[in-house]
Amino acid sequence: MGFLVLVVRIMGRISTFRSYQFLLLLAATFAVIAFYYFGSERHSFSSTTKRIRQTQQRGEELNVGEESDISRSRKGSSEAGGQRYHALMMFTKVDRSVSLQDKFRVAMLSMVKLAHFLEGEVLVLHFVSDQVSQELGQRMLQEFLQDAPFKYEVSIIFHDVVELTQKLFPIVEAMQKHFSAGSGAYYSESIFFLSVAMHHIMPESLTRIVQLDLDLKYKTNIRDLFQEFDKFPPGAVIGIAREMQPVYRHTFWLYRKENPNTRVGEPPPEGLPGFNSGVMLLDLSAMRASTLYNQLLKPSNVAKLADQYRFKGHLGDQDFFSMIGMEHPELFYSLACGWNRQLCTWWRDHGYGDVFQLYYGCDGPVYIYHGNCNSPIPDD
């Protein structure tokens, strides 16, 4: 109403002005109207085909989480109703760690630099975060996306870590004692079993999602990773790459001692080296539909398998997937090692130097580097 009062006052004085003064006054009036109506709605950037918007609102698309729609898009793409590609990252306690911030910078800048999507397609990035880290993440993403060369749309959704943990705890409580390092340890928190029960937490409208660690560097278009879903064999619910160190040769040591001819913990291609959860494709629809997978989530069955394999781990969801993969490999689609080229060599210097290279080797192109255990990632 404020600008209307201003207009009335101005128009009341029109008769006292000459014609050229009237035109100037009229132009000023329209400028005021434009400011009130459009000034706060969006910011225009140099390119007419790209824009970046930031809002705070409840996520309507998934009815879950808080959406911070920081997008950079080709004009009209969001109205096209094209396919959405969902990817999720853990983003907790990042405000306390410069190292995590640096890793996130490398991951996001390499992702947006090489990504390319078709007209109307949308990349939806989900972040599980605490409030302080969310505020930091929004600032960092604004910086990363503003100067990005792409023309597709990116939608950002933040999920509150406390709310998700409350939903997860009843489902994963029983397995935490088998796959956690102990009270207070990083992976002992329920949220780090999110991938195990994602199909119960996310709405049914979300059918596929990729979960990614922060310490990655992308060497190819991330859209290509989503195409791996189409390669899942019948019965597979999760796509995941093998572990590239003798981690599970060590963790299954007692079972291996009791079963000297087992493939469990043996190196590829004939062995079962376990999985690494740095890059995971979760077919949520298949997870919901799989009777076998959901039976394996029951506390009694988790305890039975852990006892059978003499298993005690500390790596959260990765341990769970590796253990059930020994018994039911048909639940998993094996991603090529180049989609999660792990760089950690810790076990080479801690008792397994003689067999280390049997696990660490990875032939073929590298699509994603994984700088696990703070390993340096090669420069471009």
Side-chain angles (χ1 to χ4, degrees):
M1 291 299 294
F3 81 91
L4 292 176
V5 174
L6 180 59
V7 171
V8 170
R9 291 177 178 175
I10 292 173
M11 296 303 292
R13 300 180 61 188
I14 287 177
S15 60
T16 64
F17 287 84
R18 297 176 181 175
S19 59
Y20 74 90
Q21 292 173 317
F22 168 73
L23 292 175
L24 290 174
L25 186 59
L26 188 62
T29 300
F30 281 116
V32 171
I33 294 173
F35 173 79
Y36 273 94
Y37 270 105
F38 309 113
S40 59
E41 215 171 77
R42 67 176 62 183
H43 299 278
S44 297
F45 292 82
S46 57
S47 173
T48 59
T49 61
K50 300 177 182 179
R51 67 184 183 274
I52 186 167
R53 298 171 288 135
Q54 184 171 8
T55 62
Q56 292 294 327
Q57 61 188 29
R58 296 303 295 175
E60 296 179 359
E61 176 189 1
L62 297 175
N63 194 28
V64 61
E66 180 176 278
E67 183 174 4
S68 176
D69 190 12
I70 305 172
S71 68
R72 196 168 182 86
S73 62
R74 180 184 288 109
K75 189 174 182 180
S77 65
S78 60
E79 290 83 2
Q83 184 170 352
R84 277 167 153 69
Y85 297 87
H86 295 267
L88 181 143
M89 304 176 207
M90 294 293 177
F91 200 74
T92 57
K93 303 178 182 178
V94 178
D95 61 299
R96 310 178 193 177
S97 172
V98 174
S99 175
L100 281 177
Q101 294 171 32
D102 290 341
K103 291 173 182 178
F104 182 56
R105 182 181 300 275
V106 170
M108 289 307 304
L109 290 179
S110 62
M111 178 191 290
V112 301
K113 177 182 178 181
L114 297 173
H116 176 74
F117 288 81
L118 302 181
E119 180 74 32
E121 295 180 338
V122 180
L123 175 61
V124 183
L125 297 178
H126 300 251
F127 296 94
V128 177
S129 180
D130 54 85
Q131 183 60 42
V132 179
S133 293
Q134 175 178 335
E135 294 170 359
L136 172 64
Q138 289 171 336
R139 294 195 300 270
M140 296 181 74
L141 287 166
Q142 186 86 5
E143 172 193 344
F144 301 157
L145 299 179
Q146 184 164 349
D147 296 323
F150 54 76
K151 297 181 181 180
Y152 58 88
E153 182 174 341
V154 179
S155 181
I156 311 297
I157 297 177
F158 282 91
H159 302 267
D160 182 73
V161 64
V162 176
E163 292 182 6
L164 287 187
T165 299
Q166 291 173 346
K167 295 177 181 178
L168 274 172
F169 186 71
I171 305 173
V172 303
E173 177 184 9
M175 67 177 62
Q176 287 188 245
K177 65 180 180 180
H178 301 290
F179 313 118
S180 301
S183 179
Y186 185 73
Y187 282 103
S188 68
E189 301 176 32
S190 297
I191 197 61
F192 296 103
F193 292 83
L194 175 60
S195 60
V196 171
M198 183 96 70
H199 59 303
H200 289 311
I201 302 302
M202 294 296 181
E204 290 195 6
S205 59
L206 184 54
T207 58
R208 291 177 171 180
I209 195 167
V210 169
Q211 184 167 328
L212 305 162
D213 278 2
L214 284 188
D215 53 349
L216 304 178
K217 184 174 183 179
Y218 300 87
K219 302 294 293 181
T220 193
N221 184 2
I222 191 174
R223 185 182 185 275
D224 295 339
L225 176 61
F226 289 92
Q227 308 313 306
E228 294 291 312
F229 275 115
D230 297 331
K231 301 178 182 179
F232 279 31
V237 300
I238 295 169
I240 191 169
R242 63 177 173 83
E243 172 61 48
M244 295 181 195
Q245 292 193 94
V247 173
Y248 294 105
R249 186 185 188 96
H250 179 83
T251 307
F252 285 100
W253 73 270
L254 183 55
Y255 179 82
R256 289 170 51 80
K257 181 180 179 181
E258 296 172 347
N259 300 271
N261 295 321
T262 185
R263 297 168 58 214
V264 171
E266 285 291 295
E270 300 300 327
L272 299 172
F275 298 122
N276 182 279
S277 60
V279 176
M280 293 185 290
L281 281 67
L282 306 176
D283 188 331
L284 301 183
S285 291
M287 293 169 74
R288 294 178 185 118
S290 174
T291 300
L292 172 59
Y293 181 77
N294 287 287
Q295 286 178 340
L296 292 171
L297 295 181
K298 295 181 178 179
S300 59
N301 290 328
V302 173
K304 180 181 178 181
L305 279 180
D307 181 67
Q308 175 183 332
Y309 284 102
R310 305 290 192 265
F311 192 91
K312 175 60 179 175
H314 65 281
L315 296 175
D317 57 355
Q318 175 174 312
D319 284 337
F320 175 73
F321 293 142
S322 292
M323 186 184 75
I324 68 172
M326 302 301 172
E327 190 76 5
H328 297 285
E330 69 273 16
L331 288 172
F332 299 91
Y333 165 65
S334 182
L335 279 176
C337 59
W339 282 113
N340 181 6
R341 190 13 171 152
Q342 302 137 53
L343 298 172
C344 183
T345 59
W346 191 89
W347 287 97
R348 181 181 60 191
D349 304 318
H350 292 81
Y352 291 92
D354 57 334
V355 297
F356 182 83
Q357 199 58 38
L358 298 176
Y359 295 83
Y360 192 72
C362 176
D363 297 329
V366 173
Y367 306 113
I368 300 176
Y369 278 118
H370 184 185
N372 50 334
C373 72
N374 295 313
S375 300
I377 297 177
D379 295 329
D380 292 332

